[in-house]
Amino acid sequence: MADSINGNYYRLNDAIIRQTERITGTDQKTTTNSSGKTDDSFQQLLEQQINSTVTFSKHANIRKEQRNIEVSDSDLEKLGSACDQAQKKGIDNALIMMGDSAFIVNAADKHVITVMDKNEMKNKLVNDIDGAVFI
């Protein structure tokens, strides 16, 4: 769904937050449990989870399967930290080189756009990226 004000796309967590606020009528704040510790609200936990998770586009999933590229949980963590590094440097779209694979990633959303193996990278031009991260 397009955001007419900013020209951006709504993120899933924004939609969930808006619906939650509409249903409850108030913003959810942190609560204190019986042991005196502060619990994070659902909204904060959801944002943390979404911000730390690398997602793959449909196109990237197809390319990953076609090229037999395996991505383990530790690889996902490495991609996530590479996205964080790219964001710190102001890189929006990054080429992340990891082993024999290359990932074109929207660093701000941690969303993998496409995946290439070393055979696909030969004699190929990669455009529309702002920077590269080698891990």
Side-chain angles (χ1 to χ4, degrees), residues 56 69 71 79 94-98 101-105 112 114-115:
F56 285 78
I69 297 173
V71 180
L79 282 172
L95 168 68
I96 299 177
M97 300 293 298
M98 184 171 58
S101 303
F103 301 84
I104 306 294
V105 179
V112 178
T114 193
V115 181

Side-chain angles (χ1 to χ4, degrees), residues 10 34 38 46 52 56 65 71 74 85 105-106 119 126 131 133:
Y10 288 127
S34 60
T38 336
L46 179 63
S52 66
F56 285 78
E65 289 177 18
V71 180
S74 65
Q85 291 173 0
V105 179
N106 180 310
N119 296 326
V126 179
V133 180

Side-chain angles (χ1 to χ4, degrees), residues 3 17 23 29 32 60 71 74 86 103 105:
D3 180 355
I17 292 165
I23 291 169
K29 305 292 180 199
T32 305
V71 180
S74 65
F103 301 84
V105 179

Side-chain angles (χ1 to χ4, degrees), residues 67 91 93-97 101-106 113-134:
R67 296 167 180 154
I91 298 172
N93 294 314
L95 168 68
I96 299 177
M97 300 293 298
S101 303
F103 301 84
I104 306 294
V105 179
N106 180 310
I113 299 166
T114 193
V115 181
M116 295 179 281
D117 62 3
K118 67 180 178 180
N119 296 326
E120 282 287 321
M121 290 185 273
K122 292 179 182 176
N123 300 322
K124 294 287 181 174
L125 173 69
V126 179
N127 60 349
D128 293 332
I129 61 169
D130 303 317
V133 180
F134 296 89

Side-chain angles (χ1 to χ4, degrees), residues 2 10 16 33-34 36 52-54 56 58 63 67-68 73 90 92 107 109 113 122 134:
Y10 288 127
I16 293 171
N33 61 19
S34 60
S52 66
T53 304
V54 176
F56 285 78
K58 182 177 178 181
R63 294 292 182 246
R67 296 167 180 154
N68 295 321
D73 288 340
D92 292 324
D109 294 334
I113 299 166
K122 292 179 182 176
F134 296 89

Side-chain angles (χ1 to χ4, degrees), residues 24-36:
T24 61
T26 60
D27 292 337
Q28 293 184 359
K29 305 292 180 199
T30 57
T31 58
T32 305
N33 61 19
S34 60
S35 63

Side-chain angles (χ1 to χ4, degrees), residues 36-81:
K37 295 182 180 178
T38 336
D39 292 331
D40 289 335
S41 69
F42 174 76
Q43 175 182 347
Q44 291 169 334
L45 293 173
L46 179 63
E47 287 176 4
Q48 288 173 356
Q49 184 64 31
I50 288 174
N51 291 336
S52 66
T53 304
V54 176
T55 59
F56 285 78
S57 68
K58 182 177 178 181
H59 173 78
N61 279 324
I62 291 169
R63 294 292 182 246
K64 191 171 61 163
E65 289 177 18
Q66 287 175 342
R67 296 167 180 154
N68 295 321
I69 297 173
E70 296 292 325
V71 180
S72 67
D73 288 340
S74 65
D75 291 340
L76 287 175
E77 289 178 21
K78 290 176 186 177
L79 282 172
S81 65

